[in-house]
Amino acid sequence: MKIPLNDLSREIEIVGPMIQEKIARVMERGWFLIGQELSSFESEFAKYLGINYFVGLANGTDALEIALRCCDVGLGDRVIVAPNAAMYGTLGVLRCGAKPIFADVDETLCMSSKRFEELANRGTYKAVIVTHLYGQMADIESISHIAHAHGIKVIEDCAQAHGARRAGKMAGTFGDITTFSFYPTKNLGAMGDAGGIGCNSPQYQEKARALRQYGWSKSKYHVDIPHGHNSRLDEIQAACLLVKLEKLEERNQRRRAIWSHYNNELKGRIHFIGRNDESFVAHLCVLLSQNRDYLQNQLKKRDIASEVHYPVPDFRQKVFNENPSDFNCPNADEACQRVLTLPCFPEMTDLEVEYVTQSLLKLA
């Protein structure tokens, strides 16, 4: 049995005919950007989240930069970010000419509210990007409370947390502004790159709409706002996302069920990141192993795919000239040496899940 880390073709077998109908209507209209499908998706996704506005963009990386610019982050400003989230938030900060400051993670591998508070108490920061990593919500309530007490804007990075909620409140509704990626492998994924920004502020919505299209504000071809992008979520991707949105809750439940099976069967042998509740949507099924490379190699011999999310802390990337010792993030350093991602996607069969489980039982 050969188990892939993910298999998007299986999802397309299910939703493909509905997507093809939607795409056919887009082609009949002959309108491919900033049209009816985008407007419908923005409205439906905002409604799903329980916020006032959603602005579709070309990808999640643009969303992070544009969200930062909506919060007036610019040259020389300092922004607190997680150190173990593959540079996505960090890159958005760098694109604004700002300086990323890294707050270490807690046992969830999301940003530690305690470490964030320590930084906030002894420095001045324009914003914080709180990443809900692997589908697990961070301690966003505490971080938001601390941030607002210090005048720090809160940007929620929900690229891996579509549909996660705590006490009935959705991920993406706690901060000042939120960002999403709809990369194909996400819990809600397009058929190419796509992303967006959510908020309750009409000012943020207006600025995001302007920034996604060159900085135009009131009039076409009149650039009123600096740092504009060409970052539009196209009609075909919006149509695809509208179809998939209807299946999101069901698919999240399946992801969580697979994760729960692994966790229950291997309890006491392997530690998995996540919780068996709605605050976790199992975007990735990540375990911690002291012998990660050995385990990955043994799984490969059994034709079970795996991946490392993520192998290098942001502050140790070569793009930085600073000495890594300037950043004290021992938890993130250790995690990057131990994390390993297992197959966990909604179309996995029970037989495949059990094969992975039994293989791990023999190796643990």
Side-chain angles (χ1 to χ4, degrees):
M1 186 177 293
K2 191 163 186 166
I3 315 295
L5 190 67
N6 204 333
D7 186 352
L8 298 177
S9 67
R10 299 189 196 182
E11 182 189 9
I12 293 302
E13 284 182 13
I14 299 168
V15 300
M18 291 177 283
I19 290 174
Q20 286 177 335
E21 288 180 17
K22 279 273 193 180
I23 292 174
R25 287 202 290 272
V26 172
M27 294 175 69
E28 287 171 8
R29 283 195 294 268
W31 191 281
F32 301 106
L33 292 169
I34 315 293
Q36 180 178 325
E37 300 298 332
L38 176 59
S39 179
S40 295
F41 175 68
E42 288 175 335
S43 176
E44 288 299 313
F45 198 58
K47 181 180 177 182
Y48 172 76
L49 294 175
I51 57 177
N52 292 338
Y53 308 108
F54 193 80
V55 179
L57 301 169
N59 56 70
T61 307
D62 283 356
L64 285 161
E65 180 185 347
I66 289 173
L68 287 160
R69 294 198 183 279
C70 285
C71 295
D72 297 322
V73 172
L75 187 64
D77 288 328
R78 303 204 305 167
V79 178
I80 298 175
V81 296
N84 62 329
M87 281 291 292
Y88 302 124
T90 300
L91 182 59
V93 175
L94 294 174
R95 285 169 66 172
C96 290
K99 180 178 176 62
I101 305 295
F102 301 101
D104 204 4
V105 299
D106 60 21
E107 66 279 0
T108 70
L109 300 194
C110 294
M111 183 183 290
S112 163
S113 58
K114 180 180 179 181
R115 180 59 178 150
F116 170 73
E117 185 171 27
E118 290 172 356
L119 289 171
N121 283 337
R122 65 169 191 259
T124 302
Y125 304 93
K126 200 66 168 285
V128 56
I129 299 176
V130 184
T131 300
H132 300 305
L133 196 64
Y134 307 144
Q136 175 65 64
M137 287 181 67
D139 186 6
I140 185 65
E141 298 93 335
S142 297
I143 293 173
S144 293
H145 178 76
I146 296 163
H148 291 148
H150 287 81
I152 300 171
K153 295 294 185 183
V154 178
I155 299 166
E156 280 188 78
D157 173 8
C158 297
Q160 300 187 9
H162 310 75
R165 52 174 67 86
R166 187 180 288 134
K169 190 170 181 179
M170 301 289 280
T173 64
F174 292 87
D176 297 289
I177 192 167
T178 185
T179 66
F180 283 87
S181 166
F182 302 114
Y183 184 80
T185 59
K186 304 301 185 185
N187 291 44
L188 179 61
M191 295 177 68
D193 276 321
I197 283 174
C199 61
N200 286 316
S201 163
Q203 290 80 21
Y204 286 165
Q205 182 234 24
E206 187 175 309
K207 188 169 183 179
R209 287 185 182 278
L211 287 171
R212 77 175 173 189
Q213 191 156 246
Y214 313 117
W216 296 347
S217 182
K218 302 298 181 185
S219 303
K220 191 176 181 181
Y221 304 128
H222 290 75
V223 177
D224 303 319
I225 299 175
H227 310 297
H229 284 248
N230 178 4
S231 184
R232 296 168 293 211
L233 197 166
D234 68 64
E235 288 289 280
I236 287 177
Q237 300 303 340
C240 171
L241 290 167
L242 273 167
V243 171
K244 291 190 175 187
L245 181 57
E246 295 179 5
K247 302 282 187 182
L248 178 57
E249 290 293 313
E250 174 187 332
R251 289 167 58 76
N252 281 347
Q253 289 176 12
R254 175 59 179 165
R255 285 177 181 271
R256 204 158 34 233
I258 295 169
W259 179 92
S260 295
H261 183 83
Y262 291 151
N263 186 57
N264 292 338
E265 294 297 313
L266 293 155
K267 192 170 290 184
R269 299 194 185 198
I270 293 177
H271 177 70
F272 290 92
I273 300 299
R275 297 189 185 99
N276 191 19
D277 61 39
E278 289 188 324
S279 70
F280 178 56
V281 291
H283 169 62
L284 295 174
C285 179
V286 175
L287 61 81
L288 292 174
S289 173
Q290 295 288 0
N291 300 296
R292 191 260 311 284
D293 294 344
Y294 169 79
L295 181 58
Q296 186 172 32
N297 185 54
Q298 291 301 308
L299 290 172
K300 184 178 180 180
K301 289 180 179 179
R302 289 163 170 81
D303 286 325
I304 299 171
S306 61
E307 184 58 88
V308 177
H309 296 96
Y310 299 96
V312 183
D314 290 12
F315 56 86
R316 295 195 183 280
Q317 297 284 0
K318 290 184 179 179
V319 69
F320 292 110
N321 293 322
E322 291 98 335
N323 187 330
S325 64
D326 291 346
F327 302 104
N328 183 29
C329 299
N331 295 339
D333 259 329
E334 181 182 1
C336 288
Q337 299 302 312
R338 296 180 60 195
V339 290
L340 184 66
T341 301
L342 298 179
C344 181
F345 58 97
E347 292 76 28
M348 277 187 80
T349 67
D350 290 343
L351 191 62
E352 289 174 323
V353 175
E354 190 59 31
Y355 177 70
V356 175
T357 304
Q358 292 303 316
S359 296
L360 286 166
L361 282 168
K362 293 173 183 176
L363 294 169

